[in-house]
Amino acid sequence: MSQQAANGVPCRGKVLTLDNMNPNVRRVEYAVRGAIVQRAGQLEKELKEGVKKPFTEVIKANIGDAHAMGQKPISFLRQVLALCSYPELLEDNKFPEDAKQRARRILEACGGHSIGAYSASQGIECVRQDVARYIEKRDGGIPSNPDNIYLSTGASDAIVTMLKLLVCGEGRDRTGVMISIPQYPLYSAALADLGAVQISYYLDEDKCWSLDVAELKRAIDAARQHCNPRVLCIINPGNPTGQVQSRQCIEDVIQFAKEEHLFLMADEVYQDNVYAEGCKFHSFKKVLFEMGPAYSSTVEMASFHSTSKCYMGECGFRGGYMEVINMDPEVKAQLTKLVSVRLCPPVPGQALLDLVVNPPQPDEPSYNTFMKERTAVLADLAEKARLTEQIFNEVPGITCNPVQGAMYTFPRIALPQKAINKAKEEGQVPDMFYCMRLLEEEGICLVPGSGFGQREGTFHFRMTILPPTEKLKIVLQKISDFHVRFTQEFS
């Protein structure tokens, strides 16, 4: 209903309102940057304005952002990126010769010899060749074709692009996508946005968050009543759960995907983050090919990697890649068309990815420093993984599985019934109520388990193990003290 404005021009309501906007977008939730993180931001502002709090800083342990948590960038990566960004530095003798060689090679592959130019939509060709060589080496010589490599804006962008291709149908024919619970909220958010059907399969917390094919079978059989299951997503090493899948488990999953005629999506962005004794990263592609042609020539798969995690932690550069296997050539042409709509992934991110897949070699001047820095970062994370598990398991009411890999822990918390009732009174999920209280009292920002999914009647939180060791010890101690206090208050 239009109302008369003061100057006689009718003033209508807004064209775009909550009621008439895209309903799929309204359904999207992304816990890692949700309400609790917004409150953390407000608290930081209040501290700056001199408002008295029971803490002096807000510690954001909610997101896997290594550099924000104080991790130092790897020198070689930043040297080459500096040279690429400001080529005049190539005349400067402070930079090692191998860094200059890399920068020259990358610049020669760029339009006008500048990383400010667009690249090919699929990514710079020499970078894709380096990615293919890296995959071949990682997988013990199994061939990789640069033409199957798509560079992307972090792994997230490639994952969403792949889901876009896979989702179709209406009603009971709508595409169903299997995702692990607990899951990384990118998946549930993307599925909501695309109007796909989420099929949840639960990881087994009692067996260190392992994946059981019987559970996959249960989930897919139930889902077939209301959708058309076509995709199986796997995160290995796990986020938020930190587990590393055994080779046998990966083989079982591939066999399941073949039998059920599913497209496999393997999110392997934490492949260098493996800490636990007896655990090893096996790529889905390597296992697929080792299972023989009956599998390697039929199972359709996309695998993903990124510059944001591992020892690099270069989240802000948004570098990543996807490799597609056994994709129908006509669909591949459509994929290439789809990525070309966005012109190209960020070129500095592509340059950075090139250095990750083609690091300094033993005969190059930067090798020793690079290896020293890389080893130190990973050793530090392994120590923090051990420390986190140990300290949490000393607290009555907190149970924490070993952090075998990745950079998170997902401990289970026992909440008193009174706290659960109080949360309901305030219209909050119990673990959100718990995390909000922790934030207000201790200045520590975690993500409630409900943001990732969890079995009915269980409560968790996700925390990164990224803070510097001394700060991490303080964080773990504060959470432990808070848990005891919270439990007493509501007992």
Side-chain angles (χ1 to χ4, degrees):
M1 195 63 182
S2 66
Q3 291 140 347
Q4 281 302 105
N7 59 1
V9 180
C11 92
R12 299 193 178 91
K14 297 279 189 198
V15 172
L16 179 63
T17 67
L18 265 182
D19 294 329
N20 67 21
M21 70 174 282
N22 181 339
N24 288 344
V25 174
R26 284 183 59 185
R27 279 196 285 275
V28 168
E29 286 181 23
Y30 190 63
V32 176
R33 298 212 170 181
I36 200 144
V37 183
Q38 286 154 12
R39 178 63 188 137
Q42 287 169 353
L43 287 172
E44 281 183 318
K45 275 200 186 109
E46 289 173 25
L47 282 171
K48 271 192 191 133
E49 287 158 8
V51 180
K52 282 277 169 279
K53 299 280 170 198
F55 45 85
T56 53
E57 64 167 335
V58 174
I59 299 171
K60 288 184 179 160
N62 61 299
I63 196 163
D65 190 348
H67 292 189
M69 284 276 135
Q71 185 179 307
K72 292 276 178 284
I74 301 288
S75 306
F76 181 75
L77 304 184
R78 288 301 182 87
Q79 284 167 344
V80 179
L81 286 166
L83 293 161
C84 287
S85 303
Y86 193 61
E88 279 83 345
L89 292 174
L90 287 163
E91 307 308 314
D92 190 323
N93 57 17
K94 284 195 201 70
F95 289 82
E97 198 46 51
D98 53 345
K100 289 181 179 180
Q101 277 166 356
R102 297 305 165 86
R104 285 189 196 103
R105 179 169 175 261
I106 290 164
L107 289 169
E108 273 163 26
C110 293
H113 292 193
S114 167
I115 58 167
Y118 288 130
S119 77
S121 301
Q122 207 170 327
I124 297 170
E125 191 170 347
C126 73
V127 179
R128 287 189 289 121
Q129 289 166 350
D130 287 349
V131 170
R133 271 193 289 272
Y134 161 83
I135 293 171
E136 261 175 44
K137 189 176 172 202
R138 180 198 70 187
D139 293 344
I142 292 160
S144 173
N145 180 352
D147 196 40
N148 290 336
I149 307 290
Y150 288 78
L151 305 190
S152 59
T153 309
S156 312
D157 181 51
I159 289 166
V160 173
T161 300
M162 205 58 240
L163 287 169
K164 250 185 206 163
L165 282 182
L166 283 154
V167 173
C168 71
E170 291 300 326
R172 283 188 63 164
D173 290 332
R174 197 79 181 129
T175 295
V177 180
M178 303 186 73
I179 64 172
S180 60
I181 298 293
Q183 54 107 21
Y184 177 53
L186 163 71
Y187 290 90
S188 54
L191 297 181
D193 186 16
L194 297 167
V197 179
Q198 175 179 322
I199 305 170
S200 303
Y201 64 88
Y202 289 90
L203 300 175
D204 188 344
E205 184 169 10
D206 296 334
K207 293 186 181 159
C208 205
W209 299 113
S210 67
L211 196 165
D212 179 12
V213 171
E215 169 59 14
L216 291 179
K217 191 83 183 108
R218 177 208 64 76
I220 201 168
D221 289 346
R224 285 215 162 98
Q225 312 304 311
H226 60 268
C227 70
N228 175 19
R230 301 176 68 207
V231 191
L232 171 56
C233 299
I234 307 282
I235 309 175
N236 177 50
N239 172 10
T241 41
Q243 86 288 11
V244 178
Q245 288 180 357
S246 68
R247 194 188 180 292
Q248 184 57 53
C249 173
I250 294 171
E251 217 169 281
D252 295 344
V253 169
I254 291 170
Q255 195 169 347
F256 174 83
K258 180 178 161 69
E259 283 166 10
E260 300 291 348
H261 202 58
L262 298 172
F263 189 103
L264 253 181
M265 289 177 60
D267 177 340
E268 300 176 327
V269 303
Y270 297 99
Q271 54 190 263
D272 289 326
N273 300 109
V274 177
Y275 320 118
E277 204 65 41
C279 285
K280 185 174 185 290
F281 170 75
H282 301 275
S283 81
F284 265 78
K285 182 186 177 188
K286 179 173 190 273
V287 177
L288 177 70
F289 277 78
E290 286 171 352
M291 287 170 77
Y295 293 91
S296 62
S297 63
T298 59
V299 175
E300 294 155 74
M301 185 172 97
S303 59
F304 308 90
H305 193 19
S306 143
T307 60
S308 301
K309 310 300 177 188
C310 299
Y311 61 91
M312 305 81 73
E314 294 280 12
C315 307
F317 277 97
R318 310 311 297 131
Y321 75 75
M322 146 173 90
E323 182 182 28
V324 296
I325 292 160
N326 293 323
M327 183 178 265
D328 180 313
E330 290 177 43
V331 174
K332 200 154 162 280
Q334 296 292 321
L335 169 60
T336 306
K337 176 186 77 178
L338 187 56
V339 298
S340 69
V341 173
R342 295 196 188 172
L343 296 171
C344 70
V347 175
Q350 296 185 48
L352 177 68
L353 178 70
D354 190 59
L355 308 172
V356 171
V357 296
N358 181 19
Q361 298 306 303
D363 58 348
E364 293 184 308
S366 300
Y367 179 77
N368 288 343
T369 307
F370 172 81
M371 286 310 288
K372 195 173 141 199
E373 291 177 356
R374 181 188 187 278
T375 308
V377 169
L378 293 173
D380 203 25
L381 283 166
E383 169 58 19
K384 292 191 278 198
R386 190 195 58 76
L387 197 69
T388 302
E389 180 200 348
Q390 180 199 325
I391 291 176
F392 275 151
N393 281 328
E394 286 167 2
V395 185
I398 300 185
T399 13
C400 182
N401 268 316
V403 182
Q404 297 175 330
M407 41 185 66
Y408 313 98
T409 179
F410 197 68
R412 186 162 167 176
I413 46 176
L415 298 182
Q417 191 55 49
K418 272 189 190 167
I420 294 170
N421 298 346
K422 178 80 172 142
K424 282 186 183 145
E425 263 172 52
E426 297 194 5
Q428 281 189 336
V429 185
D431 48 18
M432 176 57 125
F433 174 70
Y434 176 95
C435 288
M436 272 295 187
R437 282 283 300 264
L438 174 69
L439 177 62
E440 298 288 350
E441 291 177 27
E442 298 288 357
I444 295 168
C445 180
L446 306 176
V447 192
S450 46
F452 300 88
Q454 53 197 351
R455 281 199 184 274
E456 192 64 39
T458 68
F459 305 107
H460 302 78
F461 58 76
R462 183 188 85 158
M463 177 185 120
T464 86
I465 60 167
L466 289 168
T469 309
E470 290 315 306
K471 188 173 271 190
L472 181 67
K473 285 180 182 164
I474 295 166
V475 169
L476 292 168
Q477 195 51 57
K478 282 184 160 194
I479 296 170
S480 306
D481 295 345
F482 167 80
H483 187 81
V484 172
R485 209 167 61 233
F486 182 91
T487 306
Q488 282 168 349
E489 183 186 336
F490 289 101
S491 288

